[in-house]
Amino acid sequence: MCGIVGAIASRNVVPVLVDGLKRLEYRGYDSAGIAVLVDGAIRRVRRVGRVAEMENAAAAEGLSGFLGIGHTRWATHGGVTEPNAHPHVSHDSIAVVHNGIIENHEQQREALRALGYRFESQTDTEVIAHLVHYHYQQDGDLFAATRRAVSELTGAYAIGVIAIDRPQQLVCARMGCPLLIGLGEGENFIASDVSAVISATRRVIFLEEGDLALLTRDEVKVFDRDERAVERKIHVSDVSLASLELGPYSHFMQKEIHEQPKALSDTIEAVLEDGFVAGLFGPNAPALLPTLTGVKILACGTSYYAGLTAKYWIESIAGIQCDVEIASEYRYREAWADPDHLVVTISQSGETLDSMEALKYAKSRGHKTALSICNVRESAIPRASELVFYTRAGAEIGVASTKAFTTQLVALFTLAVTLGKMRGRVDAAAEAGYLDDLRHLPGSVQHALNLEPQIKTWSERFASKSDALFLGRGLHYPIALEGALKLKEISYIHAEAYPAGELKHGPLALVDSDMPVVVIAPNDSLLEKVKSNMQEVRARGGELFVFADLDSHFSESDGVHVIRTPRHVGVLSPVVHAIPVQLLAYHAALARGTDVDKPRNLAKSVTVE
Ligand code: HGA
């Protein structure tokens, strides 16, 4: 979603801002802008569309300065228009960029109007600019004015603020939305995401909830919500520049699909070294995990499907109850809570707002212990959890999640076996077997990736379709759901997934020769059932596209197309079957000419409700 970057330096910051905004593009946005202090004036360039268009406009104006803020906007309040693009200014003397939603913006707007302020945009953000301006008029202290302004806001924000007559100051604040400070030599930065500053510095401070900071070129002062000066830990980011660049690939999604063997190897490295031990989930885990009697998983989108797969593993391997809920639903219902049920929140970014709020709600309902499974270190959700498992997928830039999903799956599998071992259900021989399954997984995934040319041929047949059905059973039903989601989000083909046994209870009515039906059919205990469901489709003229492993013994026939995935890999088979459905969606999208990495209307880190 929205992205923030800001810089104070003794060099021209425009290239820093533009580079930072380009690195934030993957989050999804609809407009971009920068505000720079130039010769005692705030100069703004904003454009609807790509950062490159805004960059050209800034170059045409010869924009250059030592202090500036920039933003990529994903509209929540007010349409996608240039006047609504950030930065927002007040009286040409204060400029603000903002991520988040100001919930009391209407009351603030009324109050500010009564004070004579005029609004140029429909955004909630503009009230922040005017509020800071109002307080700044009182005593000319930009930091104090920002502090007073944010104390009057309710909702979520990460903001960067500059003032026309404070060329030596960049002020920022966060509440509910991530913000970090990048520490340079004689220059400092702010950003909503480490990727935005990584080409300038690796040394970063992650601001905490309620923090405000005052940056000059040489100094950074951080204050907590109680206005006390605080020292926040300096982290050295390990995000690599290569992970943020395409290299030989055409799209980040393609790159990330192909990175899965490595992402999986990195994620399971510690498990293969130490076995399924509680310590994998953080230093508090050996004391906390054994006291838990059930699991509640909270997540959104693809992470929710990882959770649905985990339910099968946790209940069968650990032998304890596991519920999986969509975070945005859970947080608004009178949920029953067992304090001894572990809350597991799954989020690639660790900042998904609905998941974060669901976690807080679960705690308020009485759940004692929370585990987060995230890909971004030091993000908000792990920081609010007692236990954490970081997937090591590396930066995921494509909006459609791929390597984050499969690494989440192995994290959840590791949790299931670890709980099973603690509960005496997994003995040494079984543990060795599961470790073996994990060890072979990256190779099996590579084998599945090698099917790309065949899958590409199929995808061309999907490109002309307007609908598709995905079927799976048991452990593979969530993979059917994920396949349908991938296809719709990047190719815009309407796709639905059903447990194959549900076909006859309704969706079979949709099946005709125009409806491609994708079936995940590995050689597991449900294979014969799936074969019967496939007959039901064929009998209605439906065309079947079957992903079946080598042991499933399917052969091609009229209306039945088969791609053979690697030999059945047992309980980890969902991870391997995630690959072909990702590739199918990717190539169908390419065939339809959509913007694979930036699908319409979608954003990467969903930091608003
Ligand atoms: N509410 C602001 C910022 C939106 C945002 O943070 N999106 O991710 C706006 O609509 O401009």
Side-chain angles (χ1 to χ4, degrees):
M1 299 212 139
C2 293
I4 286 178
V5 63
I8 182 160
S10 47
R11 57 174 164 144
N12 177 17
V13 296
V14 172
V16 178
L17 300 179
V18 169
D19 179 70
L21 293 181
K22 285 188 173 166
R23 292 184 190 282
L24 291 171
E25 282 191 292
Y26 77 93
R27 296 171 66 97
Y29 69 105
D30 45 56
S31 49
I34 56 176
V36 180
L37 202 61
V38 185
D39 300 332
I42 288 178
R43 298 261 307 274
R44 255 191 314 176
V45 177
R46 299 177 294 168
R47 287 291 181 276
V48 169
R50 293 285 181 238
V51 173
E53 288 164 43
M54 191 275 298
E55 178 185 19
N56 291 341
E61 289 195 21
L63 209 59
S64 168
F66 299 148
L67 171 65
I69 48 180
H71 193 260
T72 45
R73 174 174 190 247
W74 189 89
T76 65
H77 290 58
V80 178
T81 62
E82 200 168 296
N84 286 338
H86 302 211
H88 288 283
V89 297
S90 183
H91 289 83
D92 290 330
S93 60
I94 297 286
V96 171
V97 285
H98 162 231
N99 287 358
I101 289 176
I102 303 305
E103 285 167 4
N104 61 343
H105 70 102
E106 277 168 1
Q107 296 94 301
Q108 292 294 355
R109 189 178 277 254
E110 285 317 305
L112 287 160
R113 276 206 177 112
L115 290 167
Y117 283 91
R118 287 186 37 234
F119 284 79
E120 290 172 0
S121 79
Q122 302 150 331
T123 64
D124 50 342
T125 303
E126 195 178 352
V127 303
I128 309 176
H130 293 317
L131 262 183
V132 173
H133 178 269
Y134 173 72
H135 291 298
Y136 190 58
Q137 295 311 295
Q138 320 299 313
D139 60 6
D141 180 337
L142 183 63
F143 181 80
T146 305
R147 190 169 55 208
R148 277 188 217 115
V150 297
S151 74
E152 290 166 20
L153 302 176
T154 56
Y157 55 80
I159 58 170
V161 185
I162 59 173
I164 191 168
D165 49 0
R166 290 289 174 272
Q168 302 295 346
Q169 295 185 351
L170 171 56
V171 176
C172 64
R174 74 156 282 192
M175 179 68 83
C177 293
L179 193 66
L180 59 88
I181 294 171
L183 304 169
E185 296 294 325
E187 53 186 22
N188 288 308
F189 312 91
I190 61 169
S192 50
D193 180 326
V194 72
S195 59
V197 292
I198 201 73
S199 44
T201 182
R202 295 196 162 273
R203 296 172 63 236
V204 295
I205 293 173
F206 296 98
L207 292 183
E208 296 193 2
E209 286 292 80
D211 280 356
L212 273 96
L214 173 62
L215 285 71
T216 63
R217 280 174 207 159
D218 300 308
E219 206 180 13
V220 170
K221 288 185 187 153
V222 182
F223 298 84
D224 68 9
R225 63 172 89 207
D226 298 320
E227 302 182 16
R228 287 179 304 225
V230 282
E231 291 287 325
R232 297 276 179 237
K233 196 173 155 205
I234 299 174
H235 296 259
V236 179
S237 172
D238 59 2
V239 170
S240 75
L241 269 181
S243 72
L244 304 172
E245 270 147 26
L246 265 179
Y249 295 96
S250 312
H251 299 94
F252 281 106
M253 184 179 179
Q254 184 194 27
K255 177 178 182 240
E256 288 157 10
I257 289 173
H258 283 272
E259 281 172 348
Q260 287 178 103
K262 164 110 173 69
L264 288 164
S265 300
D266 290 348
T267 301
I268 62 182
E269 190 182 299
V271 192
L272 295 183
E273 267 167 27
D274 302 337
F276 295 93
V277 292
L280 293 165
F281 300 91
N284 299 324
L288 294 176
L289 275 186
T291 65
L292 299 162
T293 57
V295 174
K296 176 172 286 292
I297 299 178
L298 303 170
C300 310
T302 290
S303 300
Y304 170 68
Y305 298 148
L308 287 182
T309 315
K311 179 180 171 72
Y312 292 86
W313 285 327
I314 290 170
E315 295 204 345
S316 66
I317 300 173
I320 53 176
Q321 189 193 336
C322 176
D323 298 326
V324 192
E325 291 205 47
I326 292 173
S328 58
E329 286 293 312
Y330 171 78
R331 60 182 284 208
Y332 291 115
R333 72 182 182 84
E334 294 272 314
W336 176 82
D338 182 328
D340 294 322
H341 281 199
L342 173 69
V343 173
V344 179
T345 319
I346 314 168
S347 162
Q348 188 284 130
S349 65
E351 62 181 59
T352 312
L353 189 101
D354 279 321
S355 303
M356 180 71 206
E357 292 303 319
L359 165 59
K360 287 188 199 156
Y361 180 62
K363 287 286 188 82
S364 76
R365 300 294 291 181
H367 285 275
K368 282 191 313 212
T369 312
L371 161 70
S372 63
I373 295 180
C374 296
N375 194 40
V376 178
R377 283 178 187 265
E378 297 299 328
S379 49
I381 291 176
R383 281 196 273 130
S385 311
E386 291 76 24
L387 312 179
V388 63
F389 187 107
Y390 285 116
T391 51
R392 292 177 59 198
E396 191 180 67
I397 308 286
V399 167
S401 183
T402 52
K403 61 180 181 171
F405 176 62
T406 47
T407 54
Q408 285 167 354
L409 286 175
V410 294
L412 288 158
F413 174 76
T414 302
L415 175 67
V417 180
T418 305
L419 291 172
K421 201 173 136 185
M422 273 173 190
R423 301 175 64 79
R425 288 176 57 99
V426 174
D427 61 16
E431 180 178 14
Y434 288 133
L435 282 174
D436 231 35
D437 290 342
L438 274 184
R439 198 170 288 116
H440 289 111
L441 185 63
S444 302
V445 165
Q446 185 56 56
H447 189 141
L449 287 168
N450 297 344
L451 300 170
E452 188 165 11
Q454 294 169 61
I455 295 170
K456 187 167 182 288
T457 317
W458 276 12
S459 67
E460 280 145 23
R461 309 173 75 122
F462 279 72
S464 58
K465 303 287 183 188
S466 49
D467 303 275
L469 266 184
F470 283 69
L471 303 179
R473 286 190 88 134
L475 268 172
H476 297 88
Y477 164 52
I479 301 306
L481 285 165
E482 174 60 4
L485 178 64
K486 284 282 94 73
L487 190 68
K488 67 187 141 197
E489 65 186 340
I490 60 167
S491 75
Y492 317 147
I493 297 170
H494 169 236
E496 298 280 347
Y498 282 92
E502 272 291 291
L503 257 193
K504 54 192 175 294
H505 298 290
L508 201 52
L510 295 171
V511 171
D512 61 16
S513 55
D514 265 345
M515 173 73 86
V517 180
V518 178
V519 189
I520 321 283
N523 181 31
D524 62 12
S525 59
L526 293 167
L527 179 63
E528 291 311 317
K529 304 281 176 207
V530 173
K531 283 184 174 168
S532 305
N533 303 138
M534 287 165 53
Q535 290 306 325
E536 293 161 11
V537 173
R538 264 322 281 148
R540 274 92 191 160
E543 195 172 5
L544 290 163
F545 295 82
V546 187
F547 291 115
D549 57 44
L550 289 172
D551 310 311
S552 298
H553 303 296
F554 274 104
S555 45
E556 297 256 347
S557 58
D558 187 32
V560 183
H561 313 279
V562 182
I563 288 182
R564 286 189 184 75
T565 53
R567 195 159 293 285
H568 188 53
V569 295
V571 75
L572 286 169
S573 168
V575 184
V576 175
H577 282 85
I579 310 303
V581 297
Q582 294 168 351
L583 287 168
L584 181 63
Y586 173 70
H587 285 288
L590 281 192
R592 287 166 70 94
T594 59
D595 189 347
V596 173
D597 282 336
K598 299 186 191 75
R600 68 184 179 203
N601 308 338
L602 300 182
K604 183 66 184 166
S605 305
V606 186
T607 51
V608 297
E609 270 205 62

